[in-house]
Amino acid sequence: MLDDSVRSRIDTSKPHSARFWNYFVGGKDNYEVDREIGDQIKSIFPGLVDVAVTSRRFLGRAVRHLAEEQGVRQFLDIGTGLPTADNTHEVAQRVAPDARIVYVDNDPIVLAHANALLTSTPEGATAYLDADLYDPEAVLEAAAGTLDLSRPVGLMILNTLGHVAEYERARELVRRLMAGLPAGSHLVISDSTATSEGMIAASEAYNASGAVPYYVRTVAEIAGFFDGLELVRPGVVRVSEWRAEVSELESAVDAYCGVGRKL
């Protein structure tokens, strides 16, 4: 049951990014207003559905890489969104049952579904923080209740930084978060990009809907988030291409990603 403070923060009169994305990946946690703008954007740019699906698959490959090949046992997932299949903790704990995951969001819809995220193996731990990307130090302080920040952490910021209007501010938020993590930590980012007229038109239509705006950026700007880090091969590429098997390679999508290691 939702308490009154959470219920009062849920606005069903305007589209919402978490619910909108949930609709695109086939979820049921959305409202008519989200489906209406979703259908409108599908008519403008059907490729956004592929962006949603391939971005989710990238999450799985990135988490598996960090857990299997880098030995990362802690993950801080900021901008969690609504739970679907293969959330960060599910992927990580399949590889390493002792993995510890902290999800961060300040979205009342996500808060309402937090219990679905709080499952964990007995050996590991999963926690949810109702916190704000715009206060990195507070996020890190709260996350330290579950994670040991003296040991490497996989920082996941997927399809979230586009909501930060000013690019330099977005970069600064990333820098402050990584500054609080030790060497051996990894930064994982994906975001939609201004790499086609269709994606740009879809972004403009979404922003005109009354939802919290999402700004698509250039590939060079996505790469800029990894300044000072060692990029994991293959570098900054489309989400459909990052460490995908040849048989898994999908059509080109307007979303780029990368994984960088703090030295």
Side-chain angles (χ1 to χ4, degrees):
M1 296 292 291
L2 303 184
D3 63 36
D4 290 341
S5 64
V6 174
R7 192 184 304 278
S8 66
R9 290 166 56 192
I10 298 176
D11 183 358
T12 60
S13 67
K14 297 176 181 178
H16 189 281
S17 61
R19 303 188 316 239
F20 170 84
W21 211 246
N22 176 265
Y23 175 53
F24 266 43
V25 297
K28 298 180 180 179
D29 297 309
N30 47 73
Y31 294 94
E32 184 63 28
V33 67
D34 308 301
R35 296 187 288 273
E36 286 177 356
I37 187 62
D39 290 339
Q40 178 188 343
I41 288 178
K42 283 181 186 179
S43 69
I44 296 171
F45 182 52
L48 194 57
V49 175
D50 294 330
V51 168
V53 172
T54 56
S55 294
R56 196 70 187 180
R57 292 174 182 165
F58 162 68
L59 178 154
R61 294 197 300 273
V63 171
R64 282 194 298 273
H65 167 74
L66 294 186
E68 287 180 348
E69 299 183 38
Q70 301 299 321
V72 174
R73 293 295 180 265
Q74 305 187 108
F75 294 85
L76 179 58
D77 187 330
I78 298 180
T80 302
L82 287 165
T84 58
D86 282 347
N87 300 290
T88 298
H89 73 282
E90 293 169 319
V91 177
Q93 291 182 343
R94 276 201 295 269
V95 175
D98 61 336
R100 305 177 74 84
I101 296 87
V102 171
Y103 291 103
V104 179
D105 213 306
N106 68 338
D107 179 333
I109 291 287
V110 178
L111 178 60
H113 289 77
N115 286 338
L117 291 170
L118 292 178
T119 58
S120 176
T121 58
E123 304 95 324
T126 304
Y128 174 83
L129 301 179
D130 185 17
D132 195 334
L133 168 67
Y134 290 96
D135 193 352
E137 289 75 25
V139 168
L140 291 168
E141 182 179 0
T146 301
L147 307 180
D148 178 356
L149 299 188
S150 69
R151 297 173 52 233
V153 173
L155 174 60
M156 319 282 295
I157 316 178
L158 305 184
N159 306 300
T160 297
L161 290 168
H163 288 299
V164 182
E166 302 86 4
Y167 175 61
E168 287 305 323
R169 187 178 188 190
R171 289 185 66 186
E172 178 63 20
L173 293 172
V174 171
R175 282 195 291 267
R176 287 162 62 187
L177 286 163
M178 289 302 295
L181 302 179
S185 294
H186 288 73
L187 172 66
V188 182
I189 285 176
S190 67
D191 264 307
S192 298
T193 48
T195 41
S196 75
E197 292 183 2
M199 176 58 85
I200 293 169
S203 175
E204 291 173 349
Y206 180 79
N207 292 349
S209 72
V212 175
Y214 182 97
Y215 302 94
V216 291
R217 296 195 160 104
T218 66
V219 177
E221 287 174 324
I222 301 299
F225 290 126
F226 296 95
D227 285 353
L229 304 177
E230 179 184 65
L231 273 172
V232 173
R233 291 183 298 169
V236 175
V237 296
R238 287 185 172 90
V239 293
S240 55
E241 298 172 353
W242 196 90
R243 295 196 170 226
E245 299 293 336
V246 173
S247 60
E248 293 179 304
L249 287 174
E250 297 152 288
S251 59
V253 293
D254 294 297
Y256 277 68
C257 65
V259 177
R261 183 175 184 270
K262 183 174 180 178
L263 300 175

